[in-house]
Structures are given as C-alpha cells and as structure tokens.
Amino acid sequence: MLSGRHDGGGTFTLPPRATPIRSASSSGGVDELFGVYVRSPRDSFEIREIHVDSALRKDPLPWLDYSFNPYVGCFHSCSFCYVPRLLQTDRAEWGTSVAVKRNAPTVLAREVKRLPRGLVAISTATDPYQFVEGKYRITRHALEVLLRADWPVSVLSRSPLMMRDIDLFSRFRSVEVGMSVPTLDDRARALLEPWAPPIEARLRCLRTLADAGLTTFVSFSPAYPPTGGWTAATIADTFHELGIRKGFSRLLDPRWGARDAMLGRLAGSDLETELVRFTDRETMVPFIQAVAQECRDRGIAFRTELDGASPARRAEEANRQEV
C-alpha cells in the first residue's frame, strides 16, 4: 500500500485503477461512494450558514487572478495550516467549526458578468471538498457557474469527494485538478492531519482524475521530512506513475503557533525525531530541491517557492523559519 512503509528498495505498489464511479445523491456517505473511510465529525464541531457580499478575491497569489473559498474554516484542522495566521484567529479554535457561504454561487454568478475573465483557484483558505460539501454542494454549484461563464479553474483539495465532479471538470476548456500530498507516509499524515483523508485515498483520486483525461497536479506542501523509507526518487516515481503533470512545494511556515501545534501532536510518537526536522532548513531545502529535480527528470513540471528567488527573498525565507 502506498500509504504504508516503503521498502526502500525502489519498488512499490500503486493503488489499482478505480472503477467508474456510480452516481449518488449528495446525502451518500464518502465511505459508500468511494470505499474510503473518513472519520466522523467531532462531537463539538459546529456548522453554521452565512451570506456573503462577495465571492471572488482578487490576486490572492502572484500566479492566480482570483480565489473562491466556499467555506470559512476547515474540518481537516491540519496542525500546520497557514490560514489561522491569515485570519488572525486562535489556532486552538481552528478546525472546530465551519461557516457555509450559502449564497456564494449566486454572488459568483453576478461577479463573473462584470469582472475581467481570469484563473480562479478553488480554494486557497479552506478545503472545497471537506465533508460538508457532500450536503451543501457550494463548490459544485460554483463550478457550474464558472463552466457556463467559460472561466479557467484550478482546484485543490485533500478529499476524494472531488471525484464526484469529474462530469463538470471534463467540460471545462481550461481546468487543472490537484491534491495536497505533503507526504507519502500515512503514519506521518495521521499525526499531523488526523482528520484529513488518508494518503492512499488522495492517490486513488489523482489516478481517477488523470484517467479521466484531466490535467492533474500535486501540492507537496508543506513538505514533510522523508519518513518510512521514502526518497525523493521514489516519491517522484509515484507521482509519475499516477499521471501527475505538475507539482509544487514549499517549506513549512512555522508562525502563529504552527510549530508548537505540530510539536504537541508529535510528542512521544515513533516519528517524533524524524518529523521535528520540519523547520530544519539544512534538511528540508535540499530534500525539496531533490524532489523537484527528480520530478522534472520524469517530465513533471515542478516548482518550489524559492525558484528564481533573489538573495533577499531567500534570506527572508530563512528568517521566517526562525520565527
């Protein structure tokens, strides 16, 4: 299994090609739809509905024109998530609630009529396919709006629920779909993002998307230190075998309590010694560069946050790691 320990000998087993996905109502569980176990919502998790005045955010990142975030908050509650810092919210509260933007697709339909056409990222500050999407379908309705308007989209998630919308993706003239896969060792994932879908489920999703003829990408971000016998070469081999065409990676942003939250989850685990290297630049920069080069050698267009960066930008990044 890809999510288990790699044997270190250069061989591994890819997940079998998925069978066609049958249609199902939005109330169908992810377990029933995809044969993937997803932990039930925490008892204390709160879902509320809100209405918004705007749906698109302009220029969220240098290579994007707009972002669309269907929810505020994220059930996955990854310990390293950068969004609590952006929202200036208590990290301890992150992952305990989600606000559903009930009218966001309607607002989006108005905005695409008056704004210049551009690439829309779904999403940059939440997971668009976290479990509430199964009921509310905000992401799907937004995709329908963007499809009618013929806008290009780039979709990123950790959830195989994304496969539900292959019928829409396949009708876009310009679309790319990706998964966040910052490690291939599911033991590491279980420590730092325990409420997110397992790694194997994400890899199966990528294979299904690629088999549907879609352009797929992987976010190897923030890159975990290598564990479980995985190397830059075997990671790149896996991505290549899955038909991934693009990838990118970045270092962990340790600010706003991310480092402390991670150390708390790692304490006493079998992987603590290996994973605390998250913020060790002497370990992580060469590792990320090696993954990038191995991917490029296999024809995957792969970039990192420091590609082409000036000395000042590199110094800024080094200082950030020390915060």
Side-chain angles (χ1 to χ4, degrees):
M1 307 290 278
L2 276 174
S3 57
R5 180 177 295 273
H6 194 278
D7 64 12
T11 60
F12 48 88
T13 303
L14 288 171
R17 294 186 182 273
T19 55
I21 300 170
R22 59 185 174 83
S23 60
S25 67
S26 61
S27 61
V30 176
D31 295 22
E32 176 188 352
L33 286 172
F34 308 120
V36 174
Y37 172 71
V38 177
R39 296 176 66 168
S40 299
R42 299 184 285 282
D43 290 340
S44 60
F45 193 78
E46 177 188 1
I47 302 171
R48 64 186 188 278
E49 300 176 3
I50 62 174
H51 284 71
V52 295
D53 297 324
S54 62
L56 291 175
R57 179 188 174 196
K58 294 183 180 180
D59 304 318
L61 292 167
W63 56 90
L64 298 172
D65 300 306
Y66 305 96
S67 65
F68 175 83
N69 291 288
Y71 306 104
V72 180
C74 184
F75 175 72
H76 294 163
S77 187
C78 302
S79 59
F80 45 74
C81 185
Y82 60 84
V83 179
R85 180 179 62 81
L86 297 181
L87 299 181
Q88 301 288 285
T89 188
D90 184 355
R91 183 171 293 277
E93 294 299 313
W94 183 250
T96 62
S97 68
V98 65
V100 180
K101 300 180 181 180
R102 285 303 304 266
N103 67 327
T106 301
V107 175
L108 177 65
R110 294 197 298 265
E111 292 180 341
V112 297
K113 292 179 180 178
R114 62 178 178 80
L115 292 173
R117 182 177 181 271
L119 176 63
V120 179
I122 307 175
S123 298
T124 58
T126 189
D127 194 305
Y129 288 101
Q130 58 184 297
F131 82 96
V132 292
E133 171 64 17
K135 173 182 178 180
Y136 286 100
R137 303 167 75 89
I138 306 298
T139 299
R140 182 171 177 87
H141 293 324
L143 286 169
E144 291 169 340
V145 169
L146 293 167
L147 176 62
R148 288 193 298 268
D150 191 26
W151 280 40
V153 298
S154 176
V155 187
L156 178 64
S157 177
R158 280 179 158 79
S159 171
L161 182 58
M162 181 187 288
M163 293 187 290
R164 179 201 64 188
D165 292 340
I166 287 177
D167 63 319
L168 293 180
F169 298 144
S170 62
R171 294 164 58 193
F172 276 84
R173 281 200 305 159
S174 178
V175 62
E176 60 179 17
V177 286
M179 281 274 127
S180 290
V181 186
T183 180
L184 291 182
D185 185 352
D186 200 61
R187 299 173 307 145
R189 186 279 313 166
L191 289 169
L192 296 175
E193 39 186 304
W195 288 283
I199 298 301
E200 186 174 357
R202 305 181 205 182
L203 299 181
R204 289 180 184 275
C205 179
L206 283 166
R207 164 160 272 169
T208 300
L209 295 168
D211 286 350
L214 298 166
T215 297
T216 55
F217 68 94
V218 65
S219 169
F220 191 64
S221 305
Y224 282 40
T227 58
W230 288 96
T231 67
T234 54
I235 290 168
D237 282 340
T238 301
F239 292 162
H240 179 256
E241 289 295 324
L242 292 171
I244 292 168
R245 301 186 196 177
K246 301 179 181 180
F248 62 88
S249 187
R250 63 173 175 82
L251 294 165
L252 167 76
D253 184 343
R255 294 175 291 179
W256 203 259
R259 179 188 296 173
D260 291 341
M262 292 168 58
L263 292 177
R265 291 189 183 180
L266 293 175
S269 73
D270 292 341
L271 296 178
E272 180 179 8
T273 301
E274 296 171 271
L275 289 177
V276 293
R277 296 178 295 165
F278 245 116
T279 55
D280 177 10
R281 286 182 58 84
E282 292 185 1
T283 296
M284 295 309 300
V285 170
F287 175 60
I288 290 174
Q289 290 174 336
V291 171
Q293 189 57 55
E294 294 284 355
C295 285
R296 292 166 188 154
D297 290 345
R298 290 157 179 76
I300 300 171
F302 202 99
R303 60 179 171 81
T304 72
E305 63 182 337
L306 294 180
D307 287 347
S310 66
R313 173 69 179 86
R314 291 178 182 273
E316 176 187 346
E317 175 59 30
N319 290 335
R320 190 182 75 180
Q321 297 297 309
E322 300 301 324
V323 172

